[in-house]
Amino acid sequence: MTIKNAIEVSHLTKKFGQKLAVDDVSFNVRQGEVFGLLGPNGAGKTTTLRMLTTLLKADAGQVKIFGHDTVKEGRLARSLFGLTGQYAAVDEDISARQNLMIFARLNGLSRPDAKQRTTELLHEFSLENSADKALKDFSGGMRRRLDLAVSLITRPALIFLDEPTTGLDPRTRTQMWDTIRHLVQQGSTIVLTTQYLDEADQLADNLAIIDHGKLVKTGTPAELKQQIGGTRLNFTVDQSTQVGAAVKLVAAQVADAVQQTGQQLSVRLTQMAQAAPILTALNQAKITISQLAVQEPSLDDVFLNLTVGKN
Amino acid sequence: MDVQTHSGNLFMNTATMAYRNLLKTVHNPDRFMDVIIQPVMFMLMFGYLFGGAIAGGVQAYLPTIVPGILMQTMLSAASGSGAQIREDLDSGVFDRFKSLPMAHVAPLAGQLFADSLRLLMATVASLTTGYLMGWRPAVGFGWVVAIAGLAIVTGWALSWLFALLGLLAKSAGAVQSVSLMTMLVLSFMSNAFVPLKSLTKPLRFIAHLNPVTYVITAIRQILATGSWTHEALLVLAFDLLIVAIFAPLAVWAYDRN
Ligand SMILES: Nc1ncnc2c1ncn2[C@@H]1O[C@H](COP(=O)(O)OP(=O)(O)OP(=O)(O)O)[C@@H](O)[C@H]1O
Ligand SMILES: [Mg+2]
């Protein structure tokens, strides 16, 4: 079987007044993958997601969900995905159980089915003990969990999550990551937005970096890191008189220029194996070093490199 | 893996949305206040405070005040509709409604359906309080049901008007204050609490322009004569006209949102 695209986005554009919030964005999301939309505040992540989920009309461009045009076949497209927005979309005045029941009914489940699904989801998201309490007393984490539970009522094959872990404490965030991984294991396709690089790194199979409404880069986390970062070897030369000699020795071993800040040297390695001859050479020249570190590339480098200024 | 879902059904979706709306009324003290507490409190307060001064006694005042408070309650329950719609549209929940494969106008239809049930609740609260205070219309229970029906139909027609207001307004706060003002002016500048004869000339002129005056007069006439009067039929026709004008406008404004 060939891998099909869950989503095909072409030339999506949205203007708010004079401001181009989303500027000619095109990408595909493959079935079964986690696709991350990464960008700083105001980059256009939510606007893009709102257009993908039919909440906002695009000024130009086309979105296909499992092959169905979201404009021409809106209702059908809507039945194929679940959405958890950036801000909790649950009713504050009523209980978690009532929320689930109502949304299950609105999704077209019969009353007994809705009841059963509600019980299942309350259990799955550990909300049984507060199922009948007013949502006003819920913590941010519980509200997020309920919000996600509501979007999973129909077990959609495609799930949109807008900043699913913003505002959660580290423990709750890890739980949310586990939940997302679990959904992927069950075969769901997930599109999530995030401002957190570690989150994108942890979860996403493919990433699109968006800034000022434009897609600036797409690829796997590894590819993006490779393009920008690469592994670096960092160390400090103990004696300032030896720095010059050290730079020369290291430069002889690698292709890239050696970066020098005071007595600190930093050099990009194409392979880890390059570290050994450098260290041996330094040792033979009786140059003592400290604070030796091999730095793996991080998405932070990618992010800071590609995104500029305020949105 | 798939859960069976039937495609959006306007009737079912509307019923679910109305159920949600009523749950919110019951759980939210503000909304509950409008529908149950306010009519009971006003009936007691007005009856015992002004009964002596206006009619020479509580019992004698009841035939005046019960229809008056009933209509005031209808106005205030109906005027809640606009603020509730605005609040809903501005909340994140509405995004979810829009992203569901459900009937598009179900949220609006559900609100209006719930409004009619809220009006029924408010009517029962008002009339029961009147009964407990000693109100016993001579025409019998059947005609009490008839005037309850007339009041509810009128209230429901007005909630379309307030719904339109909510759909066009910028914020729930704005709708709330406009609705409250309208409600106060319409209920007090009428014959709800005092006989028209006791009003000064300009006030009497305004009260005569106020449609609420005609509804209350119609209710009092029905209770006095035990028959559908000319006035009552006029009120019903007026209600129909309001719905015929404002329901399409509300749907139009809803689509625009
Ligand atoms: N309804 C709107 N009207 C006018 N401008 C808007 C509207 N919605 C978004 N914008 C603007 O469009 C740009 C993109 O906003 P968007 O909410 O998509 O960003 P985001 O990437 O989701 O940011 P955040 O991380 O803060 O959620 C912003 O400059 C924002 O001010
Ligand atoms: Mg956002």
Side-chain angles (χ1 to χ4, degrees), chain A residues 40-47 86-87 162-163 193 195:
Chain A
N41 283 130
K45 305 183 293 293
T46 300
T47 308
Q86 184 165 359
Y87 306 102
D162 197 359
E163 303 200 15
T193 75
Q195 312 180 20

Side-chain angles (χ1 to χ4, degrees), chain A residues 13-22 47 51 57-60:
Chain A
T13 301
K14 182 75 196 178
K15 239 184 182 164
F16 290 117
Q18 283 302 303
K19 190 181 167 66
L20 261 174
V22 174
T47 308
M51 287 190 283
K57 242 175 87 180
D59 291 335

Side-chain angles (χ1 to χ4, degrees), chain A residues 49-63:
Chain A
L49 224 59
R50 286 173 63 84
M51 287 190 283
L52 299 190
T53 53
T54 74
L55 293 178
L56 193 66
K57 242 175 87 180
D59 291 335
Q62 195 190 36
V63 178

Side-chain angles (χ1 to χ4, degrees), chain B residues 28-87:
Chain B
N28 185 327
D30 291 351
R31 293 187 180 188
F32 195 64
M33 182 93 190
D34 276 355
V35 177
I36 306 288
I37 316 256
Q38 187 188 307
V40 173
M41 225 175 63
F42 276 26
M43 196 69 89
L44 291 171
M45 250 171 42
F46 277 74
Y48 290 110
L49 274 178
F50 303 138
I54 296 175
V58 178
Q59 289 309 313
Y61 190 39
L62 283 173
T64 305
I65 191 75
V66 171
I69 298 278
L70 177 61
M71 268 323 287
Q72 189 194 32
T73 306
M74 294 298 97
L75 272 170
S76 103
S79 71
S81 186
Q84 286 175 23
I85 285 184
R86 190 71 258 166
E87 226 178 85

Side-chain angles (χ1 to χ4, degrees), chain A residues 196-216:
Chain A
Y196 303 117
L197 305 149
D198 57 334
E199 182 161 291
D201 207 1
Q202 286 273 340
L203 295 174
D205 300 307
N206 268 299
L207 276 178
I209 297 181
I210 185 169
D211 190 34
H212 290 92
K214 279 201 179 69
L215 271 199
V216 284

